[in-house]
Amino acid sequence: LIELQNITKIYKSGEVETVALRDVSLFIEEGEFVSVIGPSGSGKSTLMNIIGCLDTPTRGNYFLAGKSVSKLSDSELAMLRNKMIGFVFQQFNLLQRATVLENVLLPQLYSGNRPNKKEAMALLERLKIAGLESKYPNQLSGGQQQRVAIARALINKPKLILADEPTGSLDTKTGEEILKIFEELNEEGVTIVIVTHEPYIARKARRTVALRDGSIEFDEHINEG
Amino acid sequence: LIELQNITKIYKSGEVETVALRDVSLFIEEGEFVSVIGPSGSGKSTLMNIIGCLDTPTRGNYFLAGKSVSKLSDSELAMLRNKMIGFVFQQFNLLQRATVLENVLLPQLYSGNRPNKKEAMALLERLKIAGLESKYPNQLSGGQQQRVAIARALINKPKLILADEPTGSLDTKTGEEILKIFEELNEEGVTIVIVTHEPYIARKARRTVALRDGSIEFDEHINEG
Ligand SMILES: Nc1ncnc2c1ncn2[C@@H]1O[C@H](COP(=O)(O)OP(=O)(O)OP(=O)(O)O)[C@@H](O)[C@H]1O
Ligand SMILES: Nc1ncnc2c1ncn2[C@@H]1O[C@H](COP(=O)(O)OP(=O)(O)OP(=O)(O)O)[C@@H](O)[C@H]1O
Ligand SMILES: [Mg+2]
Ligand SMILES: [Mg+2]
């Protein structure tokens, strides 16, 4: 499903160059459950942004579902991304002027689907934030905002979920409930890639990719058998 | 140092009322190291905002360093807060159009001190983000932004540090380094109140206050003796 070949990402700001990813190759098959770990600044979010077609590599090739991402037009890329990928951002990125319900339904608008309010409400229920649908993000606690971001990532029933520290603002019990939802989706065939610094989450994945200074330090399958 | 008496906080939005804190009383002496835990939405950030004089209670009294906070004028309150308190926000709240260095020095400008660039650089060094001083927040990783927020909270050498999930975006190793800094400051007499959902951090505090649905569920001293 995901094929990154020799991906390098360099951010330039005036004279300063930051190598965020250095010659990273990574193949993830459909249905996998992968955790990505590594120190702060090691390139995890950058990697997720490239996998999620939100950023382009400086060098290297990326094939998503067999398609060469760099060869797609902007609108083709947006459509592929919108139909296939659910993204939970490290800093939520909710629309401040839209209600919780509107935020959750947004990906449906973008993918040209008729907004399904019933499904959105069912997601809020599952994430234990039912009752908050008419509130605005700045009226929510950090963990409630994070769960709105998770609901939004799930509304289009994506084949691939990219979650960047989805439990960073959640207490352990609520974090475990989120993890359970990801495990259930994975059992239904959804591919899950989750950046986390929580060992209990990394352990639940069947494979762990560790980054350090922009390169893959190790890539291990756990629980083989 | 901190004396909350029967604090209730109700958010009103049109017809909807949310009771974020319900009759909370809490006394914290100078030099204490307190962790605040509880499920998402239980009122932890609301409690921190009231202690940090960033929000006013709907009912009840708050005395900070013996002064009745509700009786101070806005400018007296701002001055007290600025001189005494360092606040690490759950979502960082960095100025997007200011560099890392400018963000860290901001509290010094507000407290009328001459900005001490040397001290700011030393803090960045201690937090392992030296070299990033000329970057803007949107050029940093989540954990780097969190450490800028921590540096900013420490620049005025506050007597009270209120840290709302200061390691939420940090890998465990970096999180432990942050905790060590807080422990060192506490040994120098700084009062620390830290909201966390990480058990390893809650255990390092000498006292844990647990919130549930806006009330104090338990308030226990650990390691007495
Ligand atoms: N500005 C606001 N307007 C309306 N309701 C609010 C507002 N801020 C917070 N709330 C509500 O108050 C309650 C407590 O929120 P608070 O942010 O204190 O929780 P928290 O314990 O910090 O949660 P988390 O662990 O998720 O950060 C929540 O139910 C939240 O929805
Ligand atoms: N837009 C940008 N411009 C310049 N440098 C950037 C930009 N975004 C990220 N970086 C740099 O790239 C490196 C990797 O960043 P990234 O956000 O991928 O790290 P991360 O592993 O997600 O860290 P964290 O665990 O703290 O979230 C960091 O050194 C960061 O400062
Ligand atoms: Mg990141
Ligand atoms: Mg909070």
Side-chain angles (χ1 to χ4, degrees):
Chain A
L1 185 66
I2 291 171
E3 212 171 314
L4 297 165
Q5 300 172 353
N6 306 101
I7 297 292
T8 291
K9 177 69 187 180
I10 301 175
Y11 289 108
K12 285 201 195 64
S13 171
E15 291 298 315
V16 180
E17 276 195 5
T18 308
V19 182
L21 291 175
R22 197 183 295 272
D23 199 26
V24 167
S25 296
L26 183 65
F27 306 123
I28 299 179
E29 298 187 5
E30 213 171 329
E32 287 206 55
F33 195 142
V34 185
S35 61
V36 176
I37 64 175
S40 174
S42 54
K44 307 182 294 296
S45 296
T46 303
L47 179 67
M48 296 291 266
N49 288 340
I50 287 174
I51 294 174
C53 305
L54 294 166
D55 199 1
T56 52
T58 312
R59 289 196 275 281
N61 296 312
Y62 174 31
F63 295 87
L64 175 64
K67 298 188 178 60
S68 167
V69 167
S70 55
K71 298 214 166 44
L72 299 176
S73 71
D74 277 359
S75 56
E76 286 172 320
L77 191 59
M79 229 171 94
L80 179 66
R81 182 176 65 223
N82 209 276
K83 285 206 151 40
M84 277 204 53
I85 304 175
F87 210 124
V88 186
F89 294 91
Q90 190 169 4
Q91 274 152 2
F92 321 153
N93 296 6
L94 298 177
L95 291 191
Q96 295 301 314
R97 294 186 196 163
T99 62
V100 163
L101 187 61
E102 290 165 344
N103 265 286
V104 173
L105 289 173
L106 204 60
Q108 284 197 325
L109 280 167
Y110 281 147
S111 65
N113 294 335
R114 213 179 323 125
N116 190 331
K117 189 175 172 195
K118 217 153 163 276
E119 262 177 27
M121 296 300 291
L123 272 170
L124 294 186
E125 186 88 27
R126 201 172 176 191
L127 290 160
K128 307 245 170 86
I129 48 172
L132 299 182
E133 56 273 12
S134 313
K135 280 190 159 189
Y136 290 85
N138 67 0
Q139 294 174 317
L140 304 177
S141 77
Q144 290 167 343
Q145 292 181 38
Q146 190 153 43
R147 283 175 281 168
V148 174
I150 293 168
R152 181 180 63 181
L154 302 182
I155 194 79
N156 265 344
K157 299 200 185 346
K159 292 180 73 174
L160 168 65
I161 291 173
L162 302 174
D164 196 344
E165 312 233 19
T167 64
S169 296
L170 295 170
D171 56 286
T172 313
K173 179 154 177 296
T174 313
E176 288 178 337
E177 289 163 12
I178 298 301
L179 191 56
K180 204 151 167 298
I181 294 174
F182 287 157
E183 287 176 313
E184 288 168 3
L185 288 167
N186 185 238
E187 277 164 34
E188 294 165 24
V190 178
T191 309
I192 312 257
V193 184
I194 179 167
V195 169
T196 181
H197 63 254
E198 308 253 19
Y200 80 84
I201 297 183
R203 276 198 292 269
K204 289 285 179 103
R206 290 193 295 280
R207 175 182 172 192
T208 295
V209 174
L211 289 183
R212 183 172 293 277
D213 296 326
S215 302
I216 294 185
E217 188 178 30
F218 65 77
D219 180 350
E220 289 178 359
H221 285 79
I222 327 170
N223 301 332
E224 300 250 29
Chain B
L1 185 66
I2 291 170
E3 211 171 312
L4 298 165
Q5 300 172 351
N6 305 102
I7 297 290
T8 291
K9 178 68 188 183
I10 301 175
Y11 290 107
K12 285 203 195 62
S13 172
E15 291 299 316
V16 181
E17 276 195 5
T18 308
V19 183
L21 291 175
R22 196 183 296 271
D23 198 25
V24 167
S25 293
L26 184 65
F27 307 124
I28 299 179
E29 298 188 4
E30 215 173 325
E32 285 207 55
F33 194 142
V34 184
S35 61
V36 176
I37 64 176
S40 173
S42 54
K44 306 180 295 296
S45 297
T46 303
L47 179 67
M48 295 291 265
N49 289 339
I50 287 175
I51 295 175
C53 305
L54 294 165
D55 198 3
T56 52
T58 313
R59 290 197 275 280
N61 296 311
Y62 174 32
F63 295 86
L64 174 65
K67 298 186 177 63
S68 167
V69 165
S70 55
K71 299 215 165 43
L72 298 176
S73 70
D74 278 358
S75 57
E76 286 171 320
L77 191 59
M79 231 172 92
L80 179 66
R81 182 175 65 223
N82 209 275
K83 285 208 149 45
M84 277 204 52
I85 302 175
F87 209 124
V88 185
F89 294 92
Q90 189 167 5
Q91 275 151 5
F92 320 154
N93 296 6
L94 298 177
L95 291 191
Q96 294 302 314
R97 295 187 195 162
T99 63
V100 163
L101 186 61
E102 289 165 344
N103 264 285
V104 174
L105 289 173
L106 205 59
Q108 283 197 327
L109 281 168
Y110 282 146
S111 67
N113 294 334
R114 211 178 325 124
N116 190 330
K117 188 176 173 196
K118 216 151 164 278
E119 261 177 27
M121 296 301 292
L123 272 171
L124 294 186
E125 186 88 26
R126 199 172 177 191
L127 290 160
K128 305 242 173 89
I129 49 171
L132 299 181
E133 56 271 14
S134 312
K135 280 190 157 186
Y136 289 85
N138 67 0
Q139 295 174 319
L140 304 177
S141 77
Q144 290 167 341
Q145 291 182 39
Q146 190 154 43
R147 283 176 280 167
V148 174
I150 293 168
R152 180 181 63 181
L154 302 182
I155 193 77
N156 264 344
K157 298 195 180 1
K159 293 180 71 171
L160 169 64
I161 291 174
L162 302 175
D164 196 343
E165 310 233 19
T167 64
S169 297
L170 295 170
D171 55 285
T172 312
K173 179 157 176 298
T174 313
E176 288 178 337
E177 289 163 13
I178 298 302
L179 191 56
K180 205 153 166 300
I181 294 174
F182 286 156
E183 288 176 313
E184 290 168 1
L185 289 168
N186 185 241
E187 278 165 33
E188 295 165 25
V190 178
T191 309
I192 312 259
V193 183
I194 178 167
V195 168
T196 181
H197 63 253
E198 309 253 19
Y200 80 84
I201 297 183
R203 277 197 293 268
K204 289 284 179 106
R206 290 193 294 280
R207 174 181 173 192
T208 295
V209 174
L211 290 184
R212 182 172 294 278
D213 297 326
S215 301
I216 293 185
E217 188 180 28
F218 66 77
D219 181 350
E220 289 178 0
H221 286 78
I222 328 168
N223 301 330
E224 300 249 28

